[in-house]
Amino acid sequence: LAERLQNTMKKITGKGKVSEQDVKEMTREVRLALLEADVNFKVVKDLIKRIKERAIGQEVMESLTPGQQVIKVVKDELTELMGGEQSRIAVSDRPPTVIMMVGLQGAGKTTTTGKLANHLRKNHNRSPLLVACDVYRPAAIKQLETLGTQLNMPVFSMGTEANPVDIAKQAIEKAKEEHHDYVIIDTAGRLHVDTDLMDELEQIKTTVKPDEIFLVVDAMTGQDAVNVAESFNEQLDLSGVVLTKLDGDTRGGAALSIKAVTNKPIKFAGMGEKLDQLEAFHPERMASRILGMGDVLTLIEKAQTNVNEKQAKELEEKMRTASFTFDDFLEQMGQVKNMGPLDDLLAMIPGANKMKGLKNAQIDEKQLVHVEAIIKSMTKKERQDPSVMNASRKKRIAKGSGTTVSQVNRLLKQFDEMKKMMKQMTNMQKGKKGKGMKF
Ligand code: GDP
Ligand code: MG
């Protein structure tokens, strides 16, 4: 989405201070991006109001990394809007548990019926019976039967002449006889919401009293999906939503509005035509996707949890007074390592895989191991005050760490340069926050 939003986000990420003007600029971009991503207007308005309040509040302004905090606020609010992860499916006290699939034609009901059945068997060890209640198109029954064959699961159908309500009723009787613990009813759809369809679905609902009614909506239909969800929910009181075709390049802004408008959770996401391409819906990932930022937010969070703010402040103090020692160096390295392999971290940064320097990063990681070994072979005194270093000490350290004297020398030189640089930096940019080191 909006490259502009990404640029704004990037600009704000590294900021040591965020002004009200920055926040205004950023929320304007967020607002445009959300509208562009098909998020409902009213939803956007409420959301922006909350983001502004929080972003200009203490939580952000007094934090060590306000730029990152602002972005986190945006993401938090988006995630919140979509609710927590809710991929649970009801289990009836008196089996079979009945799931009814509803939605417009082409939304993906039949496919999702197969996917859910597969999910229930694979992940919950259940034995579902699939039921063909779309009697208006012979091809629809055939389609479900084909899925049944692929899955090696039974499909209950009574042809195109029978009444969908009767089919559903008899299917449940059959499921009881044959000890199926789940019944998934695939119903008919129309191109648009109409009263005939709704009446039929309501009759099925009253007759079989399903434990779950899942609305299947096509994420690619954008704002329309929201209207559809609203109508179906009014008529049938849904229990959840399955958002399909998220494997396309749709931004999925509809996801945000659906939850906000119906207050029903999005439980699953369809990620392709294949029967195993159904996933639990992750509000957090969706928020990142809507913001178009890859997993950059996860990266920020990782950094935040691992670099404890108090430690960072102490470090800054040490940098300012140039009393930074090898022990501090070791600790910093530990923090970087806690964040996971450098390669993984880089992979989370959008565009990083296109960067030329990535190959070097892999080499660096090996060097880190050596660096750590060298420092660990130093005595306490040597770590605190490298000026005591002489030829015999260096030899001992090289031996102890399985490296060479020239590697030890190189590290000592780098450390010395780093200290000088820190001093310059802190003198030059008084008041600017320390940002950790690069290796
Ligand atoms: P129904 O009319 O609601 O039963 O919809 P179908 O299950 O027949 O699906 C309509 C079309 O959408 C089919 O071609 C499916 O293969 C396709 N489809 C369903 N779910 C997904 C999905 O998550 N991703 C993609 N790419 N295609 C899907
Ligand atoms: Mg169908």
Side-chain angles (χ1 to χ4, degrees):
L1 100 151
E3 231 169 81
R4 270 168 58 202
L5 174 65
Q6 285 199 39
N7 289 338
T8 317
M9 290 290 176
K10 248 183 239 152
K11 222 165 65 194
I12 218 165
T13 311
K15 282 213 172 186
K17 265 212 175 77
V18 176
S19 68
E20 278 201 40
Q21 186 56 36
D22 288 334
V23 171
K24 267 199 192 127
E25 208 175 288
M26 190 266 313
T27 46
R28 192 174 56 228
E29 295 295 335
V30 172
R31 188 175 156 274
L32 284 175
L34 293 179
L35 289 173
E36 206 181 297
D38 280 324
V39 181
N40 180 285
F41 174 75
K42 203 182 154 308
V43 175
V44 173
K45 206 173 133 201
D46 291 348
L47 185 77
I48 293 295
K49 191 166 153 254
R50 278 201 307 278
I51 291 175
K52 262 193 189 146
E53 276 168 13
R54 280 184 62 188
I56 298 175
Q58 281 189 348
E59 161 194 14
V60 168
M61 294 308 184
E62 287 175 12
S63 84
L64 201 64
T65 49
Q68 296 179 0
Q69 285 292 339
V70 169
I71 290 168
K72 197 171 164 301
V73 165
V74 175
K75 191 197 153 200
D76 281 356
E77 289 290 337
L78 289 183
T79 306
E80 177 80 5
L81 202 62
M82 288 183 279
E85 200 185 301
Q86 321 227 9
S87 61
R88 287 175 54 113
I89 297 180
V91 185
S92 172
D93 300 337
R94 282 178 299 156
T97 306
V98 179
I99 303 175
M100 184 174 161
M101 310 296 288
V102 302
L104 293 186
Q105 196 172 309
K109 288 180 299 302
T110 307
T111 312
T112 308
T113 300
K115 285 176 175 177
L116 265 183
N118 187 37
H119 166 78
L120 284 167
R121 181 175 61 190
K122 211 168 100 196
N123 302 321
H124 300 279
N125 212 9
R126 302 289 182 173
S127 132
L129 177 66
L130 311 184
V131 185
C133 276
D134 182 357
V135 295
Y136 304 101
R137 294 179 305 147
I141 298 174
K142 192 95 204 296
Q143 187 190 355
L144 192 66
E145 280 170 350
T146 307
L147 291 178
T149 310
Q150 276 177 39
L151 289 166
N152 194 17
M153 268 185 208
V155 173
F156 183 85
S157 86
M158 290 165 63
T160 53
E161 298 300 312
N163 177 324
V165 181
D166 292 336
I167 301 174
K169 217 159 77 185
Q170 293 197 31
I172 290 169
E173 286 313 311
K174 175 149 165 132
K176 279 181 188 155
E177 280 164 28
E178 296 183 357
H179 304 289
H180 290 287
D181 40 18
Y182 274 83
V183 171
I184 311 179
I185 303 174
D186 180 30
T187 65
R190 298 273 197 284
L191 288 176
H192 303 282
V193 175
D194 72 39
T195 41
D196 278 357
L197 171 67
M198 288 300 177
D199 285 349
E200 179 180 310
L201 295 175
E202 237 177 326
Q203 275 181 46
I204 299 178
K205 177 184 169 176
T206 346
T207 311
V208 306
K209 302 196 175 47
D211 301 278
E212 300 267 21
I213 303 180
F214 288 157
L215 173 69
V216 179
V217 274
D218 179 342
M220 306 222 278
T221 57
Q223 199 54 48
D224 229 23
V226 183
N227 301 330
V228 168
E230 206 174 4
S231 314
F232 273 86
N233 191 44
E234 266 170 26
Q235 295 272 338
L236 297 168
D237 188 19
L238 306 169
S239 61
V241 175
V242 179
L243 206 55
T244 62
K245 307 184 196 179
L246 273 171
D247 48 311
D249 60 2
T250 161
R251 278 171 218 123
L256 276 180
S257 324
I258 286 173
K259 173 70 186 358
V261 168
T262 63
N263 200 26
K264 295 296 160 65
I266 298 173
K267 297 208 162 191
F268 294 95
M271 303 301 294
E273 302 196 26
K274 298 211 188 80
L275 288 169
D276 58 356
Q277 290 176 317
L278 182 76
E279 293 180 1
F281 179 74
H282 299 287
E284 233 185 290
R285 279 190 215 159
M286 200 67 211
S288 302
R289 175 170 175 157
I290 290 167
L291 290 170
M293 291 190 293
D295 277 336
V296 75
L297 295 157
T298 317
L299 182 65
I300 291 170
E301 274 165 9
K302 262 192 156 173
Q304 271 169 350
T305 44
N306 284 308
V307 182
N308 149 332
E309 298 204 351
K310 191 159 157 272
Q311 281 178 338
K313 276 202 174 117
E314 281 170 12
L315 190 69
E316 191 196 341
E317 178 64 26
K318 281 184 171 155
M319 280 170 72
R320 204 166 44 231
T321 56
S323 60
F324 188 79
T325 67
F326 270 115
D327 280 321
D328 300 321
F329 192 37
L330 209 57
E331 194 179 302
Q332 269 263 312
M333 268 179 50
Q335 288 183 357
V336 171
K337 274 206 305 209
N338 278 341
M339 287 166 65
L342 283 176
D343 290 352
D344 284 2
L345 289 176
L346 283 167
M348 281 194 262
I349 304 169
N353 48 359
K354 292 189 201 110
M355 272 167 21
K356 283 195 179 135
L358 200 65
K359 285 257 151 56
N360 298 334
Q362 286 167 343
I363 298 164
D364 275 353
E365 195 157 347
K366 263 193 208 134
Q367 280 180 355
L368 279 185
V369 178
H370 287 154
V371 167
E372 194 177 346
I374 293 174
I375 299 176
K376 283 189 168 155
S377 300
M378 293 178 185
T379 63
K380 206 171 161 73
K381 190 162 175 13
E382 286 162 351
R383 290 190 205 181
Q384 300 288 332
D385 181 13
S387 70
V388 302
M389 215 62 83
N390 58 26
S392 75
R393 283 177 190 265
K394 286 178 191 168
K395 231 171 164 174
R396 194 207 72 239
I397 292 167
K399 215 169 172 188
S401 59
T403 58
T404 62
V405 172
S406 76
Q407 276 174 305
V408 175
N409 273 330
R410 200 180 315 142
L411 177 64
L412 288 169
K413 194 161 164 255
Q414 278 174 350
F415 185 74
D416 203 45
E417 277 168 4
M418 200 172 69
K419 260 177 94 162
K420 272 189 209 140
M421 214 174 64
M422 279 181 187
K423 219 172 158 185
Q424 277 173 6
M425 248 167 50
T426 44
N427 286 342
M428 248 163 33
Q429 314 183 333
K430 276 233 162 83
K432 199 168 175 196
K433 308 285 186 191
K435 279 210 213 101
M437 286 173 292
K438 293 216 168 69
F439 292 99

